[in-house]
């Protein structure tokens, strides 16, 4: 696609896009919980939710009603402001990150003639922005855990600090190699780079795997769900949360899962290029869906690791591998020129 | 008598097997080897495969495991002691209970009560019979003591109720007369033993 | 059977190698029981004659097989309870009893306390060797209370025996069963006694002895009590409860002055109504016999009572201004003491007609005799062999007096004299040696003089008596002199102990003082000793405890009686009071015994003690008065809770304690001259209750059917019509005429059990009144 042919991006378009993302992603996040329950159930040969609405589809609404109507409890000794703000940080950063991610193909709303871009804000340092935003999201759990005056919360936030910080390094380093290859930080460029049909994962398998592992850790998914691992720390940083505040954390988590899925698809898995006869938008949805499914699948199959194992893996295995990968990539690029 | 026998808390012979578990490597080399072997063993993928396979089994091969409890129930052992039932005589349809009061007497939670009277046919009529399921501990003594195989345990095991006392009346427990053909003989406590005939001494009859 | 066992009349016997002491002349079975040795026995009833129906009591005595219920102990007798032969006999007997016995323990009312069950288990009968074709035997109702199921009957004859030997009705007897006859082959095959027993058993069932379907008896229910199996049950009780569900509350029957030992048996009324209800009354039938009122008249409790504070406040007010308390003898000793306390502290007058009459009579008697109480108790009467009754309608007044009179005839080969103006067809049937004098009303003194003439040592008599003995009393009292003399000679044969029972007629007699003196004279000069029948439940206790007044006026509080303010245990007064089955306390009975009674049913209202506490002072509980009963009158200072209430195996009564008789100097006796013109003439009414009716409480009970009406002999009733108006000097009554089959003569009986009818007022201090009766 040639950039010059694109209509002008108006403020209205961006706002519409933002609202659209917000609506759709939070819907998807909610729907994600349904999907998660269903998939996990199937993998354990159970039915999962099935009584509210057809196939249990309206479970989502039931849960929503429940979350909205539940009493909002703030513990007596909590730092109330921070306690209240923390979930918002998580949710907000997750959505802000999505601003720089191409979520749907672009389109023009008929009659009023407003152009809605694929990316709400196609800043040319998209990847950096997304990663930065996601990293900023760690303040959510961190502050939440510390604000709630609960020992499990404290442990949860301590874990947040080490886990998110450590894996930030791996994420960054692992994605550095593709960036070096593409030579841009813009998602559009990544997409275009793979327009020939050869996905970056072919060149950068190690980086892909590292990114994936780090992605699990950053989204706090099994096997790295240490922040709130029920069997160990009650509910970690969300111990004292209930109702909608608790819900916000989860919307954030699921939004992040989608973000990771989007990054993985765009950076490594060929982006929204058409494939054979399959149109690009379908491709990207398929890819995101698969990566989402993969996260659930992993949750169904694998046990979680201990915090020390997590650190060990990060600093002794993944980080060196990532560095080596960057170095090798650099050398190869250098030699190829 | 010493207390030794009370201090030995081993019940029966213990046949524990010790599993041959890996030992945590202590040397650096050992640890390295472990990492390598674990890295290259496809264990993780086996895990993924297993869960995926089960999903396929569940969805497409009809191997869903769930019993949809309130709608579907698993059969329970015939000896299970659930909510009581009052059986009828198969031939006449008359209730079996003769009002002997043995169940009332034996009940250790004192939850059976009955009213009896002399009826028009000069028989003892059980005019009312209740069990307070709020107190019943489902010990099965009543079923065991009943000489008529009248009070038995049925298969209904939902015992939750809105109040602590929950009385079941004679009518509630009695086999509905139109379901008489479905009435099952109880096999648990108090049922006739399979070799009962062997243990009976015959009484001579003059005619 | 005196309770004192002297060393002289004891013999030594050996049972199964162990030596025991036994009373001379006692049956082996009783001797064994007294020593807590178990000998199986079904048909024998203590206090009745052995029937030898069951034969299971076989033992070996000095090498011979004897029936222990019928063989007397001898010095040095060696007894073996079980030998192999005897065991074989007993087992065969139990098997025989089980032949064709319906397998219905599951529904049977006797299950759990059935002797057939017990002995079948005791003798480990687990198989049956005998068989015979069964006969159809249908259950029937013999009377308004009796239900007989011959299918269950083992023909032990306990019911017929008790009815004959104790109750005196002899209303039931064994009769032909009409079943298959025994195969002669059994005779050689089975033990001898078992065969003989079976032979008899197979031929008989029990039936009313009057040949009809109905017993027409006293409906005392004693046959029901003694029946070892479920054959005889009260109609009301059939299939309503199992023995083991009932809680036994030991008590004292509060209907008459016999003060019988009873158990109120209670359990919750039904599934819906969980308040305790009395299902039946039982007794220790080997040692005490009840009447129909005691056995069936138990549901007279005050059910609706609550703690009504306004009514209570009104009561306190009423007591503060009360001048008189009008009460009756259905009251415990403790309550009587409370009322006496009230009299002492507040100066109220106490009115209790029947107790006052008795008190006066007893007073005259003790003045003349020097004893505060009459000499005999009724157990001693029962043990005597010559019994005389004066001034009491034996069949109606007091069941225990009647049982004693009858039992003396049956068990002690005794004789009896019965003096009463109202003719009775039952009393002569008690025995062969009974002479009945249906004398004129007013000739009671003549009766006593006659007795003095018959029994007294003439030398010991004061002149005032001696000079009156010349007349021909037999003629005067309505007998035939020549016939009587012959009969009396026979009656006196081999007689050692003589007893006289006197009743209410004398207490309410114009010449009560003279009569009391004559009794004292008789006792002082002869072997005849006297026992008195207190008119109502606790009349003796009230007479001893309370200082009663003859007349009183002013604001009256009625306690179960009429008054300006009424306390009532019937639930119809201004303040509720507990009925006797809701109270604890003690009663003084005619055996001069103070017996405890317990509350069988819940009572939620105020009790007399609460009132006394407000108006005078009182301890916390009613029973705390027990230890303060007047020792000077023969009571003992013992706490209620330490009073025993049971019988031991040797038949000794351990219920409460016996009153002490206090002796003092006797006065010189001088009696008035008997004036035979005092006799009442014309239409005469007698204040007398039907059997099983004593007071409002027996009337309230649902199984007591005897109504309030004019009781008359069949012949008299014929002349009266169905409803009459009876006119007294001071009032009128309209009554239904009820035929009493066993009454004779023209005197009619008017009951006093309904206090509301004020019968005492109409009779004006006497038991007999001339009346005019008109049919309406
Ligand atoms: S099961 Fe046990 S507790 Fe329950 S009614 Fe029967 S005897 Fe009583
Ligand atoms: S034991 Fe059986 S026959 Fe007897 S009362 Fe109970 S249920 Fe009826
Ligand atoms: S009379 Fe005794 S043995 Fe006969 S059915 Fe009744 S309880 Fe059983
Ligand atoms: S009715 Fe009872 S007491 Fe009378 S003979 Fe029969 S079994 Fe004996
Ligand atoms: S109720 Fe009394 S009087 Fe009548 S038959 Fe029985 S024992 Fe005899
Ligand atoms: S008790 Fe002696 S014969 Fe029955």
């Amino acid at each position: 696609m040639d950039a010059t042919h694109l209509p002008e991006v108006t403020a209205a378009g961006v706002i519409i896009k933002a609202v659209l993302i917000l609506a759709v992603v939070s819907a998807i996040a909610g729907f994600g919980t349904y999907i998660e329950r269903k998939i996990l159930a199937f993998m354990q040969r159970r039915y999962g939710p099935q009584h509210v609405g057809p196939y249990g589809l309206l479970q989502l609404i039931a849960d929503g009603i429940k979350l909205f109507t539940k009493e909002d409890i703030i513990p007596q000794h909590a730092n109330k402001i921070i306690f209240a703000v923390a979930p918002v940080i998580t949710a907000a950063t997750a959505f802000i990150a999505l601003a720089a991610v191409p979520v749907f193909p672009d389109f023009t709303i008929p009659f009023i003639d407003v152009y809605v871009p694929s990316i709400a804000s196609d800043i040319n340092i998209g990847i950096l922005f997304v990663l930065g935003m996601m990293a900023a999201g760690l303040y959510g759990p961190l502050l939440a855990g510390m604000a709630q005056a609960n020992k499990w919360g404290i442990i949860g936030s301590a874990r947040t600090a080490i886990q998110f910080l450590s894996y930030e390094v791996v994420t960054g380093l692992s994605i550095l190699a593709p960036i070096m290859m593409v030579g841009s930080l813009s998602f559009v460029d990544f997409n275009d780079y793979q327009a020939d049909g050869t996905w970056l994962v072919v060149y950068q398998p190690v980086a892909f795997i590292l990114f994936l592992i780090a992605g699990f850790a950053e989204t706090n998914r099994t096997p790295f769900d240490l922040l709130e691992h029920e069997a160990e720390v009650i509910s970690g940083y969300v111990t004292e949360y209930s109702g909608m505040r608790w819900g916000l954390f989860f919307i954030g988590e699921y939004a992040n899962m989608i973000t990771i899925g989007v990054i993985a698809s765009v950076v490594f898995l060929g982006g929204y290029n058409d494939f054979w006869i399959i149109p690009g938008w379908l491709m990207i949805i398929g890819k995101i869906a698969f990566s989402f499914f993969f996260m659930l699948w992993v949750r169904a199959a694998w046990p979680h690791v201990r915090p020390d194992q997590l650190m060990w893996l990060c600093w002794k295995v993944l980080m060196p591998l990532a560095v080596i990968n960057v170095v090798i990539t650099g050398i190869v690029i250098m030699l190829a020129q | 008598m010493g207390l030794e026998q009370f201090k030995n808390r081993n019940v029966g012979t213990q046949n524990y097997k010790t599993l041959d578990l890996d030992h945590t490597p202590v040397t650096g080399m050992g640890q390295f080897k472990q990492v390598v072997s674990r890295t290259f063993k496809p264990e993780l993928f086996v895990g993924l495969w297993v869960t995926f396979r089960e999903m396929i089994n569940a969805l497409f091969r009809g191997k869903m495991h769930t019993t949809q409890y309130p709608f579907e129930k698993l059969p329970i052992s015939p000896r299970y002691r659930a909510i009581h039932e009052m059986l009828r005589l198969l031939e006449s349809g008359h209730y079996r209970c003769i009002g002997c009061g043995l169940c009332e007497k034996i009940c250790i939670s004192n939850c059976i009560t009955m009213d009896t009277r002399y009826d028009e046919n000069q028989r003892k009529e059980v005019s009312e019979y209740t069990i307070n399921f709020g107190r019943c501990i489902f010990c099965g003594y009543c079923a065991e003591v009943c000489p008529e195989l009248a009070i038995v345990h049925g298969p209904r095991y939902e015992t939750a109720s809105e109040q602590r006392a929950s009385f079941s009346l004679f009518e509630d427990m009695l086999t509905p007369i139109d379901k008489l053909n479905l009435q099952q003989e109880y096999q648990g406590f108090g049922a006739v033993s399979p070799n009962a005939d062997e243990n009976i001494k015959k009484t001579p009859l003059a005619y | 059977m005196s309770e004192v066992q002297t060393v002289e009349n004891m013999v030594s016997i050996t049972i199964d190698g162990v030596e025991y002491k036994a009373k001379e002349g006692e049956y082996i079975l009783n001797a064994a029981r007294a020593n807590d040795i178990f000998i199986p026995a079904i048909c024998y009833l203590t206090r009745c004659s052995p029937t030898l129906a069951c034969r299971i009591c076989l033992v070996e005595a000095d090498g011979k097989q004897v029936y222990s219920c019928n063989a007397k102990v001898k010095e040095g007798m060696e007894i073996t309870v079980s030998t192999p032969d005897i065991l074989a006999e007993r087992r065969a007997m139990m098997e025989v009893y089980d032949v064709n016995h319906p397998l219905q323990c599951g529904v049977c009312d006797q299950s759990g306390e059935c002797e057939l069950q017990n002995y079948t288990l005791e003798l480990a009968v687990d198989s049956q060797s005998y068989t015979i074709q069964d006969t159809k035997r249908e259950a029937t109702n013999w009377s308004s209370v009796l239900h007989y199921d011959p299918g269950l009957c083992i023909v032990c004859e306990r019911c017929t025996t008790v009815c004959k030997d104790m109750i005196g009705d002899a209303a039931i007897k064994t009769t032909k069963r009409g079943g298959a006859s025994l195969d002669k082959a059994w005779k050689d095959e089975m033990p001898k006694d078992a065969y003989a027993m079976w032979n008899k058993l197979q031929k008989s069932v029990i039936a009313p002895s009057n040949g009809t379907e109905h017993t027409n008896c006293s409906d005392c229910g004693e046959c029901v009590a003694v029946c070892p199996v479920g054959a005889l049950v009260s109609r009301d009780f059939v299939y309503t409860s199992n023995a083991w569900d009932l809680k036994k509350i030991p008590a004292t029957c509060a209907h008459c002055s016999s003060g019988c030992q009873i158990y109120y048996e209670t359990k919750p009324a039904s599934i819906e109504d969980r308040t305790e209800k009395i299902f039946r009354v039982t007794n220790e039938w080997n040692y005490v016999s009840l009447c129909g009122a005691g056995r069936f008249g138990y549901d007279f409790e005050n059910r609706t009572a609550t703690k009504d504070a306004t009514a209570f406040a009104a009561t306190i007010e009423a007591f503060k201004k009360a001048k008189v308390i009008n009460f009756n003898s259905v009251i415990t000793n403790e309550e009587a003491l409370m009322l006496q306390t009230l009299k002492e502290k507040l100066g109220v007058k106490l009115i209790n007609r029947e107790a006052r009459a008795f008190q006066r009579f007893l007073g005259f008697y003790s003045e003349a005799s020097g004893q505060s109480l009459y000499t005999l108790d009724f157990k001693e009467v029962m043990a005597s062999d010559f019994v005389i009754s004066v001034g009491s309608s034996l069949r109606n007044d007091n069941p225990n007096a009647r049982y004693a009179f009858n039992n003396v005839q049956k068990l002690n080969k005794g004789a009896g004299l019965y003096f009463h103006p109202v003719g009775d067809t039952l009393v002569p049937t008690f025995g062969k040696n009974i002479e009945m004098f249906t004398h004129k009303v007013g000739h009671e003194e003549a009766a006593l003089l006659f007795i003095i003439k018959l029994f007294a040592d003439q030398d010991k008599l004061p002149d005032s008596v001696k000079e009156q003995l010349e007349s021909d009393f037999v003629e005067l009292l309505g007998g035939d002199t020549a016939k009587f003399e012959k009969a009396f000679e026979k009656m006196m044969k081999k007689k050692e102990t003589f007893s006289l029972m006197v009743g209410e007629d004398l207490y309410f007699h114009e010449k009560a003082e003279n009569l009391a003196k004559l009794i004292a004279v008789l006792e002082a000069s002869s072997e005849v000793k006297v026992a008195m029948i207190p008119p109502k439940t606790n009349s003796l206790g009230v007479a001893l405890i309370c200082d009663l007044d003859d007349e009183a006026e002013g604001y009256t509080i009625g306690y179960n009686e009429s008054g300006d303010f009424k306390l009532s245990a019937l639930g119809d007064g201004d303040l509720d009071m507990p009925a006797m089955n809701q109270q604890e306390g003690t009663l003084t009975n005619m055996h001069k015994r103070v017996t405890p009674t317990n509350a069988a049913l819940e009572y939620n209202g105020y009790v007399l003690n609460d009132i006394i506490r407000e108006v005078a002072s009182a301890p916390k509980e009613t029973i705390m008065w027990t230890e303060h009963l007047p020792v000077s009158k023969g009571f003992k200072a013992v706490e209620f809770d330490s009073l025993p209430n049971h019988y031991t195996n040797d038949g000794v009564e351990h219920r409460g304690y016996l009153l002490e008789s206090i002796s003092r100097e006797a006065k010189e006796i001088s009696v008035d001259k008997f004036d035979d013109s005092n006799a009442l003439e014309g239409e005469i009414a007698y204040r007398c209750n039907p059997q099983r009716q004593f007071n409002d409480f027996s009337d309230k009970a649902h199984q007591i059917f005897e109504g309030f009406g004019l009781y008359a002999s069949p012949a008299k009733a014929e002349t009266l019509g169905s409803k009459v108006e009876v006119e007294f000097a001071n009032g009128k009554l309209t009554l239904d005429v009820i035929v009493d089959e066993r009454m004779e003569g023209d005197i009619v009986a008017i009951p006093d059990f309904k206090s509301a009818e004020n019968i005492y007022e109409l009779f004006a201090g006497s038991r007999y009144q001339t009346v005019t009766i008109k049919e309406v």
Side-chain angles (χ1 to χ4, degrees), chain C residues 656-688:
Chain C
Y657 56 84
L658 279 172
L659 285 177
E660 214 153 311
S661 181
I662 291 148
S663 309
R664 60 174 145 169
E665 197 62 36
K667 278 202 185 147
E668 187 70 33
I669 308 174
S670 132
V671 300
D672 293 353
K673 191 136 178 61
F674 163 62
D675 175 5
D676 72 353
S677 63
N678 273 349
L680 279 190
E681 298 294 343
E683 192 90 81
I684 297 173
Y686 179 43
R687 180 172 55 72
C688 176

Side-chain angles (χ1 to χ4, degrees), chain C residues 123-199:
Chain C
L123 297 170
V125 178
D126 57 354
S127 64
Q128 178 61 273
S129 332
Y130 311 110
T131 161
I132 193 164
Q133 191 164 347
D134 203 356
T135 326
K136 191 172 165 75
R137 288 167 280 171
E138 299 249 23
T140 51
N141 290 328
W142 280 344
S143 77
S144 54
V145 290
L146 303 176
H147 174 86
Y148 175 62
D149 186 344
L152 296 169
C153 175
I154 59 171
V155 201
C156 66
E157 297 177 30
R158 265 172 27 183
C159 51
T160 59
T161 309
V162 81
C163 191
K164 185 162 103 262
D165 289 357
M166 184 54 62
I167 310 305
D169 273 49
I172 43 180
K173 64 169 205 304
T174 51
T175 174
K176 283 216 179 63
R177 182 186 293 201
S181 54
L182 277 195
D183 191 340
K184 286 283 166 303
W186 291 121
K187 188 163 188 171
D188 308 322
E189 276 172 40
M190 64 191 289
K192 194 167 90 318
D193 276 296
Y195 177 79
M197 186 278 280
W198 191 8
N199 203 11

Side-chain angles (χ1 to χ4, degrees), chain B residues 20 43 154 167:
Chain B
D20 190 15
E43 269 174 348
F167 292 90

Side-chain angles (χ1 to χ4, degrees), chain C residues 44-221:
Chain C
Y44 179 71
L45 284 171
T46 319
R47 306 185 306 160
C48 291
S49 42
T51 46
L52 301 191
C54 77
R55 304 191 180 214
I56 205 162
C57 66
L58 266 183
V59 294
E60 200 177 85
D62 292 339
K64 280 206 310 279
Q65 281 188 7
V66 296
Y67 306 114
S68 64
C69 68
N70 190 38
K72 296 191 170 160
V73 290
K74 284 201 212 74
E75 177 64 41
M77 200 178 229
E78 302 217 350
I79 297 155
T80 315
V81 174
S82 303
T83 66
D85 274 358
I86 291 176
L87 282 177
E89 285 276 12
R90 286 202 194 122
R91 164 144 188 149
M93 285 170 196
M94 285 325 293
E95 283 187 30
V96 164
Y97 275 137
D98 292 335
V99 172
N100 293 337
H101 189 84
L103 283 173
Q104 64 174 55
C105 298
V107 298
C108 186
D109 286 310
Q110 197 74 1
S111 187
E113 52 183 17
C114 170
E115 290 179 38
L116 183 57
Q117 267 182 345
N118 290 353
Y119 283 120
T120 301
L121 283 172
E122 171 74 28
L123 297 170
V125 178
D126 57 354
S127 64
Q128 178 61 273
S129 332
Y130 311 110
T131 161
I132 193 164
Q133 191 164 347
D134 203 356
T135 326
K136 191 172 165 75
R137 288 167 280 171
E138 299 249 23
T140 51
N141 290 328
W142 280 344
S143 77
S144 54
V145 290
L146 303 176
H147 174 86
Y148 175 62
D149 186 344
L152 296 169
C153 175
I154 59 171
V155 201
C156 66
E157 297 177 30
R158 265 172 27 183
C159 51
T160 59
T161 309
V162 81
C163 191
K164 185 162 103 262
D165 289 357
M166 184 54 62
I167 310 305
D169 273 49
I172 43 180
K173 64 169 205 304
T174 51
T175 174
K176 283 216 179 63
R177 182 186 293 201
S181 54
L182 277 195
D183 191 340
K184 286 283 166 303
W186 291 121
K187 188 163 188 171
D188 308 322
E189 276 172 40
M190 64 191 289
K192 194 167 90 318
D193 276 296
Y195 177 79
M197 186 278 280
W198 191 8
N199 203 11
K200 189 159 157 240
L201 167 72
Q202 182 58 25
K203 286 181 186 149
S204 9
V205 280
I206 309 294
S209 38
N210 57 12
T212 67
E213 307 242 294
H214 301 289
T215 48
N216 278 340
C217 63
S218 309
D219 277 345
C220 66

